[in-house]
């Protein structure tokens, strides 16, 4: 399978418009590169459902805060091209920052405050508006398509689903399951920042989620009890500093009063340099409908 790099908006649009005009269905996988099997799983899903698969690789400055890792974010286009080719991608859209933002700082923004202000948004106040703005821009560039996102970034996925619906953007958003290492750690480009001992410690996020899920499956009905239990698991790992451990309604991302039939456990912790995220969907056997 060969994959082609397309660095300009005009060239990508021309190619995709032609493909659509000849009845080809387009699958789109937006990424920031430094690809791993989590990204590849989205590409394989897009390959299975569509006639032409385009992935984007763009480290979007808008979604990084002032003290975050924009300049040091890991990059390896050669390896990314190999992984994309193997996963069945046809085109990689890899624009420069100037290509995406030729007028300097963008003056327009897409935001979904009701879903963005807590959890990740509490510590990264500009992150989700930066993400929603670039994803909207990418959707305008790619056009009507199916777009594949990981449940790994659960809050991001909820925000994307919402602005796509609110703004009637002609994109079908497809959520894909989290790909994990053998010890349960969710794959992430930022795992490359972990030292050997931090890498071992990082599996505590998944252990905490599973402890929370076990309580719910055993009939626990109080969100607070579950959240405290997850926090307790992380508290036992000296290399991890908990940011939040939450039980939320999957659509509103609010903590419910009682555990509903379907809920999502969210967790974020600092382990060494990176802030790591994970989440898990749980069905409560006796949960209120
Ligand atoms: P990123 O390059 O980190 O912006 O991620 C690009 C896409 O890959 C997003 O939709 C992520 O949710 C998804 N993704 C990242 N890690 C994983 C994973 N471990 N499993 C599934 N999808 C993932």
């Amino acid at each position: 399978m060969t994959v082609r790099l397309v660095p300009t908006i005009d060239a990508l649009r021309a190619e995709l418009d032609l493909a659509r005009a000849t009845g080809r269905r387009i699958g789109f996988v937006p990424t920031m590169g430094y690809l791993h099997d989590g990204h590849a799983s989205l590409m394989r899903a897009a390959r299975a459902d569509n006639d032409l698969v385009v992935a984007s690789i763009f480290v979007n400055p808008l979604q990084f805060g002032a003290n975050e890792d924009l300049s040091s974010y890991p990059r390896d286009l050669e390896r990314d091209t190999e992984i994309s080719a193997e996963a069945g991608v046809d085109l990689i859209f890899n624009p420069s920052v100037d290509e995406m933002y030729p007028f300097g700082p963008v003056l327009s923004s897409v935001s979904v405050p009701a879903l963005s202000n807590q959890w990740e948004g509490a510590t990264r106040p500009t992150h989700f508006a930066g993400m929603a703005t670039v994803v909207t821009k990418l959707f305008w560039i790619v056009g009507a398509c199916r777009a594949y996102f990981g449940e790994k970034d659960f809050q991001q996925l909820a925000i994307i689903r919402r602005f796509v619906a609110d703004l009637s953007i002609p994109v079908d958003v497809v959520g894909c399951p989290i790909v994990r290492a053998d010890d349960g750690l969710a794959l992430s480009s930022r795992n490359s920042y972990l030292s050997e001992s931090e890498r071992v410690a990082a599996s505590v996020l998944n252990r905490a989620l599973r402890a929370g899920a076990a309580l719910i499956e055993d009939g626990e009905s109080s969100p607070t009890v579950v959240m405290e239990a997850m926090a307790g698991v992380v508290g036992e790992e000296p290399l991890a500093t908990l940011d939040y451990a939450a039980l939320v309604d999957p659509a509103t991302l609010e903590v419910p009063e009682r555990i509903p039939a379907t809920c999502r456990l969210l967790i974020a912790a600092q382990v060494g340099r990176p802030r790591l995220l994970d989440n898990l969907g749980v069905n409560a056997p006796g949960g209120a409908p």
Side-chain angles (χ1 to χ4, degrees):
M1 181 71 79
T2 53
V3 59
R4 245 175 332 110
L5 296 175
V6 183
T8 68
I9 294 171
D10 284 351
L12 185 71
R13 272 207 177 118
E15 189 136 355
L16 297 183
D17 283 349
L18 186 66
R20 261 185 301 267
T22 53
R24 299 178 78 195
R25 289 161 309 174
I26 292 163
F28 176 40
V29 182
T31 83
M32 296 206 301
Y34 212 67
L35 303 178
H36 49 66
D37 201 48
H39 300 108
S41 72
L42 308 185
M43 293 167 172
R44 288 190 292 264
R47 179 75 275 163
D49 296 346
N50 301 282
D51 303 307
L52 190 152
V53 177
V54 52
S56 61
I57 297 180
F58 180 60
V59 182
N60 172 39
L62 292 186
Q63 69 195 67
F64 286 76
N67 301 317
E68 295 183 2
D69 56 345
L70 172 62
S71 59
S72 61
Y73 194 83
R75 295 162 212 244
D76 187 342
L77 185 59
E78 202 176 310
R79 192 167 155 270
D80 287 352
T81 306
E82 282 166 23
I83 291 172
S84 303
E86 210 158 291
V89 170
D90 299 299
L91 303 174
I92 294 177
F93 177 52
N94 65 322
S96 64
V97 172
D98 280 350
E99 175 71 12
M100 287 292 272
Y101 304 122
F103 310 109
V106 279
L107 301 181
S108 312
S109 179
V110 175
S111 62
V112 189
L115 295 177
S116 304
N117 290 339
Q118 50 183 351
W119 316 127
E120 282 310 282
T123 42
R124 307 183 71 194
T126 58
H127 170 68
F128 283 126
M131 177 283 294
T133 302
V134 80
V135 171
T136 303
K137 186 172 168 96
L138 289 167
F139 285 168
W140 269 108
I141 293 167
V142 170
C145 65
R146 288 200 192 99
Y148 296 76
F149 293 89
E151 289 183 344
K152 156 85 172 26
D153 299 282
F154 193 78
Q155 188 172 8
Q156 166 174 291
L157 180 56
I159 291 167
I160 292 169
R161 285 192 194 286
R162 186 65 202 218
F163 74 71
V164 163
D166 283 349
L167 305 179
S168 302
I169 297 178
V171 168
D172 283 336
V173 176
V174 182
C176 300
I178 301 173
V179 177
R180 302 175 177 285
D182 288 346
D183 65 352
L185 177 67
L187 300 190
S188 164
S189 307
R190 289 190 170 102
N191 291 352
S192 63
Y193 297 145
L194 295 166
S195 70
E196 231 168 272
S197 55
E198 289 161 356
R199 170 64 192 81
V200 174
S203 65
V204 75
L205 275 81
N206 188 248
R207 287 203 303 283
L209 290 174
R210 284 190 285 111
L215 276 176
I216 297 168
E217 283 155 6
D218 281 352
E220 180 57 58
S221 61
S222 159
T224 311
V225 169
V226 172
M227 296 193 299
E228 285 175 358
M230 291 195 290
V233 173
V234 178
E236 283 163 24
E237 172 48 69
L239 294 180
T241 306
L242 183 70
D243 183 350
Y244 57 82
L247 183 157
V248 300
D249 176 297
T252 65
L253 305 181
E254 303 280 350
V255 178
E257 293 217 342
R258 310 289 292 169
I259 294 178
T262 300
C263 65
R264 201 87 192 179
L265 302 177
L266 308 179
I267 195 161
Q270 189 91 27
V271 182
R273 183 173 164 206
R275 246 177 109 260
L276 301 179
L277 305 185
D278 202 348
N279 67 83
L280 188 63
V282 189
N283 294 321

XYZ file of all heavy atoms in Angstrom, residues 225-277:
390
model
N -18.400 7.279 46.453
C -17.654 6.112 46.943
C -16.724 5.601 45.840
O -15.550 5.297 46.070
C -18.635 5.000 47.421
C -17.901 3.692 47.679
C -19.393 5.468 48.651
N -17.243 5.540 44.622
C -16.440 5.023 43.501
C -15.277 5.980 43.212
O -14.130 5.556 43.015
C -17.334 4.838 42.247
C -16.496 4.488 41.026
C -18.391 3.766 42.510
N -15.547 7.272 43.233
C -14.497 8.253 42.917
C -13.406 8.224 43.986
O -12.219 8.307 43.678
C -15.111 9.646 42.764
C -16.082 9.690 41.583
S -16.608 11.332 41.031
C -17.409 11.992 42.426
N -13.827 8.073 45.238
C -12.824 8.012 46.314
C -11.992 6.740 46.220
O -10.793 6.748 46.486
C -13.510 8.110 47.681
C -13.959 9.543 47.963
C -14.748 9.705 49.258
O -15.006 8.688 49.955
O -15.137 10.851 49.541
N -12.630 5.657 45.824
C -11.882 4.392 45.691
C -10.829 4.521 44.586
O -9.676 4.085 44.737
C -12.850 3.245 45.392
N -11.198 5.139 43.457
C -10.230 5.310 42.363
C -9.076 6.204 42.819
O -7.899 5.905 42.570
C -10.921 5.923 41.137
C -11.913 4.988 40.471
S -12.376 5.568 38.825
C -13.339 7.012 39.203
N -9.421 7.294 43.522
C -8.381 8.208 44.018
C -7.446 7.472 44.980
O -6.228 7.688 44.958
C -9.027 9.407 44.697
N -8.035 6.586 45.789
C -7.226 5.831 46.752
C -6.199 4.942 46.069
O -5.049 4.835 46.515
N -6.589 4.321 44.962
C -5.641 3.448 44.230
C -4.470 4.290 43.710
O -3.305 3.917 43.847
C -6.354 2.704 43.075
C -5.356 1.931 42.221
C -7.434 1.768 43.623
N -4.781 5.448 43.130
C -3.707 6.307 42.599
C -2.836 6.827 43.753
O -1.604 6.917 43.624
C -4.280 7.472 41.767
C -3.169 8.388 41.270
C -5.084 6.939 40.586
N -3.476 7.107 44.897
C -2.743 7.610 46.061
C -1.672 6.645 46.552
O -0.707 7.055 47.206
N -1.836 5.362 46.260
C -0.844 4.375 46.706
C 0.384 4.331 45.802
O 1.341 3.624 46.094
C -1.488 2.984 46.767
C -2.357 2.813 47.995
C -3.309 1.629 47.878
O -3.004 0.695 47.096
O -4.364 1.678 48.538
N 0.350 5.042 44.685
C 1.494 5.017 43.746
C 2.293 6.325 43.902
O 1.850 7.386 43.467
C 0.972 4.871 42.302
C 2.020 5.012 41.233
C 3.266 4.196 41.490
O 3.174 2.966 41.420
O 4.345 4.775 41.797
N 3.493 6.245 44.521
C 4.225 7.486 44.812
C 4.637 8.283 43.572
O 4.813 9.496 43.661
C 5.466 6.997 45.573
C 5.427 5.515 45.578
C 4.125 5.034 45.059
N 4.764 7.642 42.418
C 5.208 8.380 41.222
C 4.043 9.066 40.493
O 4.259 9.763 39.503
C 5.937 7.444 40.247
C 7.274 6.875 40.741
C 7.906 5.967 39.687
C 8.235 8.003 41.102
N 2.819 8.845 40.981
C 1.657 9.435 40.299
C 1.006 10.500 41.184
O 0.867 10.321 42.395
C 0.630 8.351 39.977
N 0.606 11.613 40.566
C -0.148 12.652 41.286
C -1.498 12.804 40.601
O -1.570 13.186 39.423
C 0.596 14.006 41.235
O 1.918 13.791 41.712
C -0.104 15.047 42.093
N -2.549 12.486 41.361
C -3.893 12.500 40.773
C -4.338 13.919 40.449
O -4.156 14.832 41.250
C -4.885 11.868 41.750
C -6.322 11.747 41.231
C -6.400 10.702 40.124
C -7.274 11.388 42.369
N -4.938 14.093 39.265
C -5.605 15.362 38.954
C -7.095 15.202 39.258
O -7.653 15.903 40.090
C -5.336 15.728 37.492
C -5.930 17.075 37.136
O -6.691 17.624 37.958
O -5.668 17.588 36.039
N -7.750 14.242 38.605
C -9.146 13.952 38.950
C -9.449 12.486 38.695
O -8.823 11.847 37.843
C -10.131 14.826 38.165
C -10.008 14.735 36.651
C -10.598 13.695 35.942
C -9.292 15.689 35.947
C -10.473 13.612 34.567
C -9.169 15.608 34.569
C -9.764 14.568 33.880
O -9.639 14.474 32.517
N -10.396 11.958 39.467
C -10.949 10.621 39.244
C -12.446 10.824 39.370
O -12.934 11.153 40.455
C -10.440 9.630 40.274
N -13.177 10.675 38.263
C -14.578 11.074 38.266
C -15.465 9.989 37.670
O -15.026 9.207 36.819
C -14.753 12.370 37.461
N -16.709 9.984 38.122
C -17.740 9.138 37.514
C -18.745 10.103 36.899
O -19.291 10.957 37.609
C -18.388 8.270 38.593
C -19.456 7.268 38.136
C -19.578 6.131 39.147
C -20.823 7.912 37.919
N -18.942 9.994 35.574
C -19.791 10.995 34.905
C -20.850 10.338 34.025
O -20.703 9.186 33.588
C -18.948 11.965 34.031
C -17.929 12.717 34.869
C -18.286 11.249 32.861
N -21.868 11.135 33.763
C -22.849 10.785 32.728
C -22.124 10.939 31.379
O -21.521 11.981 31.134
C -24.013 11.782 32.847
C -25.045 11.576 31.752
O -24.696 11.755 30.552
O -26.182 11.262 32.088
N -22.163 9.919 30.509
C -21.354 9.977 29.282
C -21.735 11.111 28.330
O -20.893 11.543 27.546
C -21.597 8.622 28.605
C -22.374 7.800 29.550
C -22.889 8.656 30.656
N -22.958 11.616 28.401
C -23.364 12.676 27.465
C -23.096 14.066 28.025
O -22.590 14.945 27.332
C -24.842 12.530 27.112
N -23.406 14.269 29.328
C -23.260 15.622 29.892
C -21.904 15.836 30.545
O -21.518 16.971 30.820
C -24.338 15.866 30.967
O -24.089 14.943 32.057
C -25.740 15.649 30.427
N -21.208 14.739 30.860
C -19.933 14.765 31.586
C -20.080 15.321 33.007
O -19.103 15.702 33.639
C -18.853 15.551 30.822
C -18.578 15.087 29.385
C -17.480 15.938 28.748
C -18.193 13.620 29.329
N -21.328 15.362 33.517
C -21.576 15.792 34.898
C -21.562 14.567 35.813
O -21.933 13.463 35.391
C -22.964 16.444 35.030
C -23.214 17.637 34.131
C -22.587 18.910 34.681
O -22.140 18.892 35.832
O -22.564 19.908 33.924
N -21.193 14.794 37.081
C -21.280 13.720 38.074
C -22.744 13.589 38.491
O -23.334 14.562 38.977
C -20.415 14.032 39.317
C -20.559 12.916 40.353
C -18.956 14.231 38.932
N -23.369 12.406 38.287
C -24.784 12.256 38.658
C -24.926 12.039 40.170
O -23.952 11.720 40.847
C -25.203 10.995 37.897
C -23.943 10.217 37.723
C -22.801 11.191 37.701
N -26.156 12.199 40.668
C -26.382 11.975 42.113
C -26.274 10.504 42.465
O -25.722 10.147 43.492
C -27.767 12.485 42.499
C -27.836 13.976 42.372
C -28.678 14.596 43.457
O -29.472 13.876 44.084
O -28.516 15.818 43.648
N -26.851 9.674 41.610
C -26.775 8.210 41.795
C -26.137 7.636 40.528
O -26.227 8.249 39.462
C -28.174 7.583 41.946
C -29.058 8.246 42.947
C -28.635 8.012 44.369
N -28.802 6.624 44.800
C -28.286 6.157 45.951
N -27.553 6.925 46.726
N -28.498 4.917 46.319
N -25.568 6.455 40.644
C -24.908 5.865 39.480
C -25.961 5.418 38.457
O -26.842 4.619 38.775
C -24.012 4.687 39.913
C -22.862 5.234 40.773
C -23.468 3.948 38.687
C -21.924 4.195 41.325
N -25.913 5.957 37.235
C -26.910 5.578 36.225
C -26.581 4.219 35.601
O -25.524 3.642 35.868
C -26.788 6.695 35.181
C -25.402 7.227 35.343
C -24.937 6.925 36.733
N -27.488 3.737 34.766
C -27.303 2.400 34.159
C -25.996 2.348 33.362
O -25.312 1.330 33.348
C -28.499 2.087 33.264
N -25.644 3.434 32.703
C -24.392 3.493 31.948
C -23.637 4.739 32.378
O -24.196 5.837 32.378
C -24.704 3.609 30.440
O -25.463 2.463 30.068
C -23.434 3.653 29.614
N -22.394 4.559 32.756
C -21.611 5.733 33.151
C -20.196 5.608 32.607
O -19.817 4.584 32.033
C -21.601 5.888 34.667
S -20.772 4.544 35.510
N -19.433 6.679 32.761
C -18.045 6.683 32.299
C -17.151 7.077 33.455
O -17.448 8.066 34.158
C -17.896 7.701 31.162
C -16.699 7.435 30.293
C -17.069 6.453 29.194
N -15.897 5.948 28.513
C -15.944 5.059 27.525
N -17.075 4.569 27.087
N -14.838 4.619 26.970
N -16.123 6.324 33.685
C -15.127 6.695 34.689
C -14.005 7.428 33.973
O -13.478 6.930 32.956
C -14.582 5.437 35.375
C -15.633 4.569 36.065
C -14.979 3.316 36.651
C -16.362 5.357 37.144
N -13.644 8.602 34.464
C -12.574 9.417 33.862
C -11.451 9.566 34.876
O -11.711 9.753 36.065
C -13.076 10.827 33.527
C -14.339 11.001 32.693
C -14.636 12.487 32.520
C -14.192 10.322 31.339
N -10.210 9.524 34.383
C -9.093 9.714 35.305
C -7.963 10.456 34.603
O -7.747 10.281 33.394
C -8.624 8.343 35.877
C -7.743 8.560 37.094
C -7.911 7.489 34.835
C -7.637 7.299 37.963
N -7.273 11.312 35.369
C -6.087 12.000 34.843
C -5.089 12.125 35.977
O -5.463 12.431 37.121
C -6.450 13.383 34.313
N -3.833 11.870 35.669
C -2.785 11.982 36.692
C -1.478 12.366 36.026
O -1.237 12.048 34.858
C -2.632 10.661 37.442
N -0.654 13.057 36.791
C 0.697 13.380 36.334
C 1.584 12.215 36.754
O 1.551 11.795 37.910
C 1.143 14.660 37.069
C 2.418 15.265 36.571
C 2.137 16.289 35.467
O 1.059 16.869 35.451
N 3.086 16.476 34.575
N 2.331 11.670 35.805
C 3.317 10.633 36.143
C 4.631 11.102 35.531
O 4.809 11.037 34.312
C 2.906 9.246 35.599
C 3.935 8.188 36.008
C 1.522 8.846 36.097
N 5.525 11.612 36.363
C 6.736 12.239 35.812
C 6.326 13.444 35.000
O 5.490 14.245 35.418
N 6.873 13.571 33.781
C 6.578 14.769 32.983
C 5.159 14.796 32.394
O 4.501 15.830 32.410
C 7.630 14.842 31.861
C 7.478 16.060 31.008
C 8.639 16.174 30.038
N 8.310 17.103 28.985
C 8.821 17.081 27.772
N 9.716 16.178 27.451
N 8.461 17.958 26.876
N 4.672 13.676 31.821
C 3.355 13.780 31.168
C 2.167 13.682 32.116
O 2.228 13.000 33.131
C 3.357 12.592 30.204
C 4.263 11.599 30.819
C 5.286 12.352 31.610
N 1.104 14.379 31.701
C -0.208 14.179 32.320
C -0.865 13.079 31.522
O -0.975 13.188 30.308
C -1.040 15.445 32.168
C -1.340 16.112 33.456
C -2.096 17.405 33.255
N -3.453 17.229 33.703
C -4.479 16.990 32.912
N -4.308 16.914 31.624
N -5.684 16.822 33.410
N -1.283 12.005 32.172
C -1.863 10.874 31.449
C -3.363 10.838 31.689
O -3.844 11.157 32.776
C -1.218 9.568 31.922
C 0.306 9.482 31.747
C 0.825 8.153 32.281
C 0.720 9.676 30.291
N -4.081 10.399 30.657
C -5.548 10.309 30.716
C -5.987 8.883 30.448
O -5.349 8.189 29.657
C -6.202 11.092 29.577
C -5.891 12.538 29.355
C -6.793 13.058 28.245
C -6.149 13.274 30.637
